[in-house]
Amino acid sequence: MTRPASGRGGQSLLVRFTRSGRREALHRHQMLRVRGRSVAWVPPLLLLITIAVVDANTAGDFRIASWIVLVPGIAAAICGAWGTAAFAVLSLLAYLIVDSAWPDEFQAWMPDLILIAMGGLLATAACVVRIRGEERLLRIRSIAETIRRTVLRPLPAEWGGLSHAAVYLAADTDARVGGDFYDIQPGPHGTRVLVGDVQGKGLGAVEAAAALLSTFREAGYHEPDLATVAERLTVRIRRHRDHAAALGRTDSDRFATALLLGFPADGTDAVDVVNFGHDPPLIAGPRGVRTLPTTGGLPLGLGELVPPGVPTLPPVRRFPFAADETLLLTTDGVTEARAPDGTFYPLTAEVTRALTADERTARPRRLVAFVRDGVLRHSRGRLVDDTTVFAVRRL
């Protein structure tokens, strides 16, 4: 059996992470806080006092002391295990005090006492189960966050001669990562940018995105020709599909739409674009908003659909791109975001309207934030697909 890695004092990393998860679970679910201090104990305490006061001030034929069994149940939902246990004991003591104040003919004693004791024990056990479930969920989210940072590595705000901003919204909020991907790779032949969307969801889509990004980071750095980078990506998706098929997996037919951009190293005010069936990018700036006419290429992984003798790679096209303009790239989670009435999000019209009102909206951070807020507002926060908004501008 493999031993867990040990830290200082012989304490294993597994134990430390488990304890950390427990503390985080308790902290995250103490939602009732005032000035940084938890007040989760206030509602069950107020309920206990209210029941005791009402029971002491009603007639003997209307006894509600047995309602004290509700107190540990309320504590189990919002307090920690020790707090719930404390309320279970406090409820027993409160019941004994309240019940003993009544004459003998109105006292319930043993039946209600057993009821409150059992209620306290069950509430404490339920609280322990709840906290363990929260710890498990936090560990899963931590793993998902690690995967996200591995696939979508953090990028400096200024990288490769570009200022950029990005927003990634996973349709599955617990997964934190899906089939959308993006990256910037500076190199001796200029800076390359890749934004794409793998068909489907789940771990298979994440694996395909990771495979494409790893190839892009190497080819984007070493290859002098952007067309060669594009070819390397097509080979990589084919190899990935062959590997998945050899394993007998049913998702071996995945494909990906993508935009591959190249910014020449000589500082030319231009951008080279290879479009693998992706939504065309927008350029926003002082001269308005325009869509780059780059449609027509097949997605990565569908090159075998092309008849023999017909080029499978989309062409590399160059477009003017001034220093005061921003290139906006999005996945179909933006353009296919639907309002309750079924209408799609009008990306170009909305960006044009925003720039008409304030030209500063063209800055990458502002532009990305504007599109993100617009998509969430348009769809009422109900995302049916992973959504990526990516904007770059020359420094």
Side-chain angles (χ1 to χ4, degrees):
M1 181 180 294
T2 304
R3 290 187 175 183
S6 299
R8 293 183 179 179
Q11 186 183 45
S12 71
L13 291 175
L14 179 60
V15 172
R16 286 195 292 167
F17 284 134
T18 302
R19 292 180 179 177
S20 175
R22 182 174 293 112
R23 288 195 300 268
E24 186 178 357
L26 290 173
H27 176 75
R28 284 170 60 91
H29 290 271
Q30 288 176 346
M31 297 176 290
L32 302 177
R33 305 181 72 84
V34 175
R35 295 181 180 179
R37 294 181 178 273
S38 173
V39 292
W41 52 271
V42 173
L45 181 61
L46 289 177
L47 179 62
L48 178 61
I49 294 173
T50 300
I51 293 174
V53 171
V54 172
D55 185 80
N57 290 277
T58 54
D61 57 350
F62 185 73
R63 296 292 312 282
I64 64 169
S66 60
W67 292 12
I68 290 178
V69 72
L70 298 174
V71 174
I74 299 297
I78 59 178
C79 298
W82 286 108
T84 303
F87 272 108
V89 174
L90 186 61
S91 298
L92 278 174
L93 296 177
Y95 174 79
L96 291 174
I97 294 173
V98 171
D99 197 54
S100 62
W102 285 88
D104 291 343
E105 62 269 21
F106 296 115
Q107 293 180 1
W109 281 107
M110 193 56 65
D112 285 353
L113 190 66
I114 294 176
L115 174 66
I116 294 173
M118 291 298 297
L121 289 174
L122 291 175
T124 303
C127 183
V128 171
V129 173
R130 189 207 84 202
I131 292 176
R132 287 181 177 177
E134 293 167 358
E135 293 172 11
R136 188 179 302 108
L137 177 60
L138 288 171
R139 286 196 292 270
I140 293 174
R141 288 185 174 180
S142 177
I143 294 171
E145 181 66 18
T146 301
I147 295 174
R148 187 190 70 83
R149 293 177 64 87
T150 301
V151 177
L152 303 177
R153 61 178 180 177
L155 296 172
E158 297 180 355
W159 183 239
L162 300 176
S163 172
H164 87 283
V167 167
Y168 178 82
L169 303 175
D172 186 349
T173 55
D174 288 332
R176 304 284 182 96
V177 66
D180 286 7
F181 56 92
Y182 59 85
D183 200 7
I184 299 176
Q185 181 58 60
H189 310 292
T191 298
R192 274 73 185 263
V193 173
L194 180 67
V195 174
D197 179 10
V198 176
Q199 170 263 337
K201 295 181 175 63
L203 288 178
V206 177
E207 289 177 357
L212 289 172
L213 283 173
S214 62
T215 298
F216 166 74
R217 289 162 186 164
E218 290 301 311
Y221 180 87
H222 292 288
E223 298 295 343
D225 189 0
L226 192 65
T228 306
V229 180
E231 184 180 5
R232 293 277 297 274
L233 291 173
T234 60
V235 173
R236 186 66 182 93
I237 191 68
R238 185 169 63 249
R239 290 174 54 208
H240 178 78
R241 292 172 58 178
D242 291 344
H243 179 262
L247 292 175
R249 286 170 37 178
T250 58
D251 60 348
S252 60
D253 58 347
R254 291 190 185 274
F255 60 89
T257 64
L259 281 169
L260 176 62
L261 311 181
F263 297 88
D266 58 8
T268 304
D269 287 343
V271 59
D272 297 325
V273 182
V274 180
N275 190 339
F276 292 97
H278 201 79
D279 292 336
L282 299 180
I283 289 185
R287 290 163 293 281
V289 179
R290 67 183 189 275
T291 302
L292 298 186
T294 59
T295 58
L298 285 175
L300 291 164
L302 297 184
E304 59 268 21
L305 300 179
V306 177
V310 178
T312 59
L313 286 177
V316 179
R317 303 186 63 181
R318 175 164 292 192
F319 300 93
F321 180 53
D324 58 353
E325 294 180 320
T326 298
L327 195 61
L328 177 65
L329 306 97
T330 63
T331 58
D332 56 9
V334 173
T335 54
E336 296 181 5
R338 289 178 179 265
D341 61 0
T343 58
F344 292 109
Y345 177 68
L347 175 63
T348 304
E350 287 294 303
V351 173
T352 302
R353 179 183 60 81
L355 263 64
T356 302
D358 186 358
E359 290 185 357
R360 294 176 297 177
T361 307
R363 297 174 183 174
R365 287 184 180 275
R366 291 195 177 194
L367 186 57
V368 164
F370 172 80
V371 175
R372 175 202 61 197
D373 296 343
V375 168
L376 292 176
R377 185 168 53 250
H378 183 80
S379 63
R380 304 295 191 269
R382 298 174 181 175
L383 301 176
V384 296
D385 197 359
D386 299 329
T387 301
T388 296
V389 187
F390 194 84
V392 293
R393 173 182 283 204
R394 292 184 183 277
L395 290 177

